[in-house]
Amino acid sequence: EEAGESINLHVREVQKLTRALEETRQKNRLLDEAMKQRKVERASLELLYVEYEQQKKKIQQSEERAKRFAREAARWQDRAVQLTNELSDDQRQAAERKLLQLQGMSNTIEDNAKREELRMDAKKRAQKRQQEGARTLRSLTEQGGGGAMSSGGIGGELAMYLSLIHISEPTRLLSISYAVFCLKKKKN
């Protein structure tokens, strides 16, 4: 009996130790997962810090460049004032006229550039409209079984067919294309 109780006692002890071991293993797994998460977070923070330092350095370089340009502009302005003071009245007036001419030419160049940009935008929009029109025509001819048209819409057995003729004017600055539809009688 004593041996049986002793064995039962040892079995219960072993079971307690097994449970404690399993709980410890579970806690270790949780700690390992937490450590992995912390490592990932630390790596992310380190990357963010590196990016922050790079941006900070770029901003400092930009500020230094802006200061350098400001100093250079001030130096040129001082030199311009000095040269202006050295000019005679006739030379000063001639220089002012030349500056006005240059400013006018600069404005003309800027206006021409803006007009060219608007012209290019208009050309792109026209090309886009032409492409959309061509897609629409293709889909209409595909739907209508050869381009047939009826009073009720596209498709079906009809008496009229459309034929597309493409005309373009290559001599104009903006290439203009026209789509002309010719009606053909249905052949019986």
Side-chain angles (χ1 to χ4, degrees), residues 18-37:
T18 305
R19 280 194 299 270
L21 180 64
E22 195 57 41
E23 288 174 5
T24 304
R25 285 182 181 159
Q26 182 65 22
K27 287 179 183 178
N28 282 339
R29 279 193 291 271
L30 292 173
L31 285 173
D32 285 343
E33 289 176 17
M35 286 298 290
K36 287 178 186 176
Q37 183 65 28

